[in-house]
Amino acid sequence: MLLLVSTFLSTAIEALRVIGGDMTVVLGGTTILPCKLIDAEDTVIQISWQKEPQTDNFLTILSATGPLFLNGHDKRFQFIGNFADNNGSLQLSNIKLTDEATYTCIFTLFPSGNVQTEIHLNLLVPPVTSLKDNRPTLGTEEVSLATCMAAASKPPAKVQWLTGTLGEKVRPTNNVTQHANGTTTTVSTLFGVPTREINHHLVKCVVTSAAMSKEESLPFTIQIYFSPIEVTISKRSEDSFECVTEANPKAAFTWSRCSCLNEPDKPNKATFSSYQGCLSEQSMPQSTVRVEGATLQFLSMTSDLNGLYQCEASNLYGRKHSYMYVHVTSGACPACWTLFGLLLFMIAFGVAALWYSYKTGKCLRTEEDTRGERSKVPTSGSPEEEEEEAAADL
Ligand SMILES: *[C@@H]1O[C@H](CO)[C@@H](O)[C@H](O)[C@H]1NC(C)=O
């Protein structure tokens, strides 16, 4: 009994005599592995360091020789203690994941033997954050809108979406992956139905981690991509016209003059939607027409201008057309020239722009022309809307 108590006491006293302490450090940083012997009356012969799970010394310090590396010199370890002061502290810099371990600092005393302490080194790895636009295109099915990632962090990072007023229109799904090196990747994907309603909404991905001094906020504007929706030609002044559409990304505009419209592959299936813009483009009368982006301007009014003009709006996702029929009634008299909503008239009465084509005599006539089917007017890939728009404008 007495023996047990004395053993216990001696252990307790020894534990108190070497001061260490657990350390937490961020990957790549520098830390001190503290180790100091206090109240020693015996002579210190050697200070040695071990790293679990190894049980042999990787470093010994003797009063005469100073620090000595036993398994090769790792320059990242530096003895910053002082043998005479019974201070065995080390500094470890450029910390790697593999440095995370329990270190043992041992003082060898004469005559009492070894006293030691353990220092646990905890590693923090800040996540590498990123946000990816999944480029959703307009639709009615739920798709992933954006993905927020906090990669290879330790401990695992928390990834959240702040979606503000979007509420239940979007929902996040989280996925966590553990890596062999002890780090964790957290991915949060935001799902929602890609409607125009959620387009341009600002959301935020917030990443929090014990390895970062403060949370990281990644703002993201939801982008729903779509091809030009409706192309309209608006009159901007007496002699200039602007092509307008809604598209994401912004559409590029091309004005051209058609000698006839593109006929479908099978003429007897001459439906409206089968026409895809001008079949052949006439050269624009350079001296009398100026095109600047979406705007078409007539510089002087002559019958040279007469014809069918096409505005094509296009982006990465598609293209749409709208047409304008120009008819200058006489000479160069600005007051006399008119732009007819002739095309619209034709649409209303079921006579296609093909009519125009025949009139100019530049298009081949097909026998189907006499059939009722061609009454559908070749003005665009998505007819109805555009016809209406054109009607309004002209
Ligand atoms: C840990 O592993 C992951 C996955 O292999 C890797 O991306 C990451 O860079 C590693 N981290 C460190 C600090 O080596």
Side-chain angles (χ1 to χ4, degrees), residues 27 97 125 152 179 181 183:
L27 185 76
L97 265 178
V125 185
H179 303 298
N181 61 18
T183 63

Side-chain angles (χ1 to χ4, degrees), residues 148-326:
C148 186
M149 181 157 85
S153 79
K154 191 177 172 305
K158 197 165 122 195
V159 181
Q160 288 169 293
W161 286 95
L162 298 183
T163 55
T165 55
L166 279 179
E168 309 220 314
K169 294 193 191 82
V170 290
R171 65 175 179 92
T173 307
N174 281 32
N175 183 23
V176 175
T177 313
Q178 290 262 345
H179 303 298
N181 61 18
T183 63
T184 304
T185 293
T186 310
V187 174
S188 185
T189 304
L190 196 64
F191 284 89
V193 178
T195 57
R196 277 159 80 187
E197 190 189 352
I198 67 165
N199 194 20
H200 298 318
H201 258 274
L202 181 69
V203 294
K204 267 181 199 169
C205 173
V206 178
V207 178
T208 39
S209 157
M212 301 193 300
S213 54
K214 60 180 172 64
E215 66 177 30
E216 194 176 333
S217 179
L218 301 132
F220 177 70
T221 303
I222 294 176
Q223 293 280 334
I224 306 296
Y225 296 90
F226 53 92
S227 64
I229 292 186
E230 300 151 354
V231 183
T232 63
I233 296 171
S234 305
K235 193 167 183 171
R236 285 283 169 253
S237 69
E238 196 52 42
D239 56 3
S240 76
F241 296 84
E242 192 184 3
C243 199
V244 180
T245 193
E246 193 187 343
N248 189 20
K250 275 202 171 77
F253 296 98
T254 315
W255 280 99
S256 48
R257 185 153 81 143
C258 302
S259 58
C260 67
L261 291 171
N262 196 3
E263 285 194 41
D265 293 344
K266 296 173 186 159
N268 60 343
K269 288 269 192 291
T271 56
F272 186 59
S273 58
S274 54
Y275 288 87
Q276 291 292 324
C278 293
L279 173 63
S280 60
E281 290 178 12
Q282 273 181 312
S283 63
M284 286 273 207
Q286 289 295 324
S287 55
T288 47
V289 176
R290 181 190 290 152
V291 175
E292 269 175 27
T295 308
L296 177 74
Q297 190 184 8
F298 298 118
L299 302 175
S300 68
M301 315 308 168
T302 68
S303 55
D304 286 3
L305 296 174
N306 290 359
L308 187 63
Y309 290 79
Q310 170 190 259
C311 171
E312 180 184 88
S314 67
N315 70 8
L316 214 58
Y317 297 92
R319 57 194 62 231
K320 279 261 171 81
H321 306 98
S322 191
Y323 300 92
M324 173 173 80
Y325 185 73
V326 172

Side-chain angles (χ1 to χ4, degrees), residues 77-113:
F77 284 98
Q78 207 184 334
F79 175 57
I80 57 159
N82 183 319
F83 198 94
D85 285 349
N86 295 341
N87 184 348
S89 301
L90 296 182
Q91 177 181 281
L92 174 56
S93 53
N94 190 16
I95 294 193
K96 301 178 189 168
L97 265 178
T98 50
D99 293 328
E100 183 169 74
T102 298
Y103 293 83
T104 308
C105 169
I106 306 159
F107 279 85
T108 305
L109 306 178
F110 184 82
S112 52

Side-chain angles (χ1 to χ4, degrees), residues 52-97:
E52 279 185 349
Q54 274 79 41
T55 50
D56 54 345
N57 300 338
F58 70 88
L59 178 67
T60 57
I61 303 140
L62 296 169
S63 124
T65 61
L68 182 69
F69 285 88
L70 301 172
N71 309 318
H73 188 179
D74 186 341
K75 288 199 179 79
R76 299 178 308 124
F77 284 98
Q78 207 184 334
F79 175 57
I80 57 159
N82 183 319
F83 198 94
D85 285 349
N86 295 341
N87 184 348
S89 301
L90 296 182
Q91 177 181 281
L92 174 56
S93 53
N94 190 16
I95 294 193
K96 301 178 189 168
L97 265 178

